[in-house]
């Protein structure tokens, strides 16, 4: 988004100063980082407790900055709770500042209360939707919405093809390569990794020719993942800085739920999606909050139908994972999955999502001057 904004602004001889909450990639794209949020991320009630104070600290810094230096426009990205705090505060101290929401929280999937949606709509001047269903939901609830498509379509242009990826990793054409994607959040090392690696061990016993590739999302996760590989006796390689090659070269993936599921789908890699949280979190969500979702993984959410198998919480057992994984390696099931992937792609929009979003943002800015 930052790269698109800077590129399109330069055409009009605009100079943008972009202040952001984010990490090194945003900084490299040209943003001044007000607070680093890379290590802050969790799903669940108890899982988020460790991040309350770091989040509040960054929120306080953001509020102080916004009040002292009101911007010409604010773009909110994902993270409903923290962003609604920021947007509500901005409405109080600088109501003249337009607020754009890009990649809205998935309230359209698992809305726990109408109040959350109402707050998001009232605190947003323009919502840039990446999913058609997301656009319909928020438009129905009173938001001014533009569907720009999913930015992952742009990002996929940088991925290598299967042959190039396999050559980079030294994988021959006969080898069955399975990608294991266990964790981008620390909690996932505890809840998602164990059943995934136990399943991999069983698959390895049944398919001696299989080899596992594991992309490393954060250096801090190296030691626990390497220990798990050793404990399970996996024929596996943990790879840093070659995530694209690992995903593109795989015959199959066993992955946590997340954006990586869409990447795999756009690479035509069949996948089993699993997710687990603290059992007490799951119990409270189901019994107290009456939390229920039709799907969790993005490929299924795009079409609101089962394209990839999802195994959540108690269903995410090694035995279930193995059953689904071996099924996807069968030629007939693989072809069905690839056909569903092709249909799903149409709902993600064409290349240029970030440019379309940037044009919407710059048009709002242009209207202010």
């Amino acid at each position: 988004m930052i790269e698109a904004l800077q590129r399109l602004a330069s055409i009009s001889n605009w100079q943008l100063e972009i202040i952001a909450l984010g990490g090194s990639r945003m900084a490299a794209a040209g943003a001044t980082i007000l607070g680093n949020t890379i290590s802050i991320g969790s799903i669940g009630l108890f899982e988020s407790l460790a991040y309350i104070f770091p989040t509040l600290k960054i929120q306080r810094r953001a509020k102080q900055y916004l009040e002292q230096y009101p911007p010409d426009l604010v773009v909110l990205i994902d993270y409903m709770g923290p962003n609604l705090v920021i947007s509500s505060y901005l409405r109080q101290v600088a109501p003249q500042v337009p607020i754009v929401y890009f990649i809205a929280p998935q309230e359209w999937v698992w809305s726990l209360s109408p109040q959350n949606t109402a707050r998001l709509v009232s605190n947003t001047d323009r919502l840039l939707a990446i999913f058609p269903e997301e656009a319909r939901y928020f438009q129905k609830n009173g938001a001014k919405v533009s569907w720009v498509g999913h930015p992952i379509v742009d990002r996929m242009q940088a991925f290598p093809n299967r042959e190039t990826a396999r050559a980079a990793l030294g994988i021959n054409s006969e080898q069955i390569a399975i990608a294991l994607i266990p964790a981008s959040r620390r909690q996932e090392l505890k809840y998602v990794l164990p059943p995934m690696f136990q399943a991999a061990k069983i698959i390895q016993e049944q398919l001696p020719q299989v080899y596992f590739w594991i992309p490393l999302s954060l250096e801090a996760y190296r030691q626990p993942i390497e220990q798990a590989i050793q404990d399970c006796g996996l024929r596996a390689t943990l790879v840093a800085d070659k995530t694209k090659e690992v995903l593109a070269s795989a015959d199959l993936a066993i992955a946590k739920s997340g954006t990586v599921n869409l990447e795999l789908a756009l690479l035509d890699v069949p996948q089993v999606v699993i997710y687990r949280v603290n059992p007490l979190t799951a119990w409270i969500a189901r019994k107290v909050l009456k939390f229920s979702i039709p799907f969790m993984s993005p490929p299924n959410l795009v079409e609101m139908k089962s394209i990839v198998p999802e195994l959540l919480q108690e269903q995410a057992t090694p035995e279930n994972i193995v059953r689904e994984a071996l099924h996807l390696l069968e030629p007939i099931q693989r072809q069905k999955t690839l056909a569903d992937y092709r249909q799903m792609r149409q709902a993600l929009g064409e290349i240029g999502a970030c440019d379309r979003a940037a044009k919407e943002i710059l048009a709002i800015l242009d209207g202010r001057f």
Side-chain angles (χ1 to χ4, degrees):
M1 169 62 79
I2 292 171
E3 291 168 349
L5 283 168
Q6 296 282 24
R7 186 177 66 257
L8 294 179
S10 68
I11 295 173
S12 301
N13 294 319
W14 285 18
Q15 288 189 338
L16 300 184
E17 181 185 11
I18 299 177
I19 312 297
L21 301 178
S24 58
R25 291 177 63 190
M26 292 181 80
T32 298
I33 302 300
L34 185 63
N36 193 311
T37 60
I38 289 299
S39 62
I40 301 176
S42 64
I43 293 178
L45 303 174
F46 300 100
E47 293 85 347
S48 65
L49 293 177
Y51 303 106
I52 290 176
F53 289 112
T55 297
L56 292 175
K57 183 178 179 181
I58 287 178
Q59 281 182 353
R60 185 164 59 249
R61 188 182 308 161
K63 286 179 179 180
Q64 290 171 348
Y65 184 90
L66 289 170
E67 185 173 8
Q68 189 173 0
Y69 307 104
D72 295 304
L73 183 141
V74 167
V75 180
L76 306 176
I77 301 176
D78 206 352
Y79 301 111
M80 182 175 68
N83 274 332
L84 284 184
V85 170
I86 295 294
S87 61
S88 297
Y89 181 77
L90 193 62
R91 284 294 199 229
Q92 296 174 19
V93 301
Q96 78 283 1
V97 176
I99 299 175
V100 176
Y101 221 127
F102 179 52
I103 308 184
Q106 291 183 340
E107 275 293 288
W108 54 281
V109 178
W110 52 56
S111 180
L112 295 177
S113 71
Q115 287 78 15
N116 285 336
T117 296
R119 282 184 64 199
L120 192 151
V121 170
S122 65
N123 288 339
T124 302
D125 296 294
R126 181 72 59 83
L127 192 146
L128 305 179
I130 62 174
F131 294 113
E133 191 61 34
E134 172 195 353
R136 286 189 285 269
Y137 173 84
F138 284 109
Q139 196 164 37
K140 181 181 177 182
N141 281 277
K144 189 172 183 180
V145 179
S146 297
W147 178 57
V148 296
H150 204 298
I152 198 170
V153 177
D154 296 15
R155 196 164 74 217
M156 296 308 296
Q157 307 311 304
F159 276 69
N161 61 33
R162 176 183 168 87
E163 291 72 24
T164 303
R166 287 203 157 209
L169 295 173
I171 304 174
N172 65 52
S173 59
E174 303 302 317
Q175 188 180 82
I176 298 177
I178 297 181
L180 302 178
I181 301 103
S184 61
R185 300 179 177 91
R186 182 162 292 278
Q187 71 184 73
E188 292 159 351
L189 295 172
K190 180 177 181 179
Y191 297 112
V192 177
L193 184 149
M196 180 184 292
F197 278 33
Q198 289 162 19
K201 182 179 181 181
I202 298 171
I203 293 171
Q204 182 175 275
E205 292 169 352
Q206 297 187 26
L207 300 174
Q209 70 273 40
V210 79
Y211 195 88
F212 298 99
W213 295 86
I214 308 165
L216 182 64
S217 58
L218 288 175
E219 187 59 35
Y221 300 165
R222 179 182 294 276
Q223 192 281 327
I225 293 177
E226 287 180 340
Q227 187 62 54
I229 292 171
Q230 183 178 334
D231 291 345
C232 290
L234 295 183
R235 294 190 296 273
T237 297
L238 181 61
V239 181
D241 302 323
K242 286 191 176 180
T243 297
K244 293 183 178 68
E245 286 77 7
V246 170
L247 302 186
S249 65
D251 295 296
L252 171 74
I254 303 173
K256 70 178 210 68
S257 180
T259 304
V260 69
N261 306 140
L262 275 182
E263 292 174 334
L264 290 164
L266 292 173
L267 290 166
D268 279 340
V269 178
Q271 60 188 298
V272 181
V273 178
I274 72 170
Y275 211 79
R276 278 182 171 181
V277 295
N278 185 307
L280 190 52
T281 291
W283 186 88
I284 292 173
R286 292 167 178 167
K287 303 298 183 181
V288 179
L289 301 178
K290 306 300 182 184
F291 180 76
S292 178
I293 57 174
F295 302 105
M296 186 168 189
S297 64
N300 292 345
L301 289 172
V302 171
E303 289 290 300
M304 281 298 177
K305 74 173 190 178
S306 182
I307 294 175
V308 300
E310 295 182 356
L311 299 171
L312 309 181
Q313 211 56 25
E314 298 87 355
Q315 294 180 337
T317 64
E319 294 75 19
N320 286 345
I321 297 169
V322 171
R323 184 189 70 248
E324 296 290 354
L326 295 180
H327 186 44
L328 287 174
L329 286 174
E330 297 172 0
I332 293 177
Q333 186 57 36
R334 175 183 174 81
Q335 290 307 312
K336 180 183 184 305
T337 299
L338 299 189
D340 287 340
Y341 281 168
R342 285 192 291 272
Q343 181 179 345
M344 181 211 71
R345 282 194 188 97
Q346 299 174 12
L348 295 179
E350 300 297 328
I351 295 172
C354 284
D355 278 14
R356 289 189 289 273
K359 286 177 182 176
E360 295 269 354
I361 291 168
L362 293 175
I364 295 172
L365 277 175
D366 194 31
R368 297 199 68 206
F369 296 101

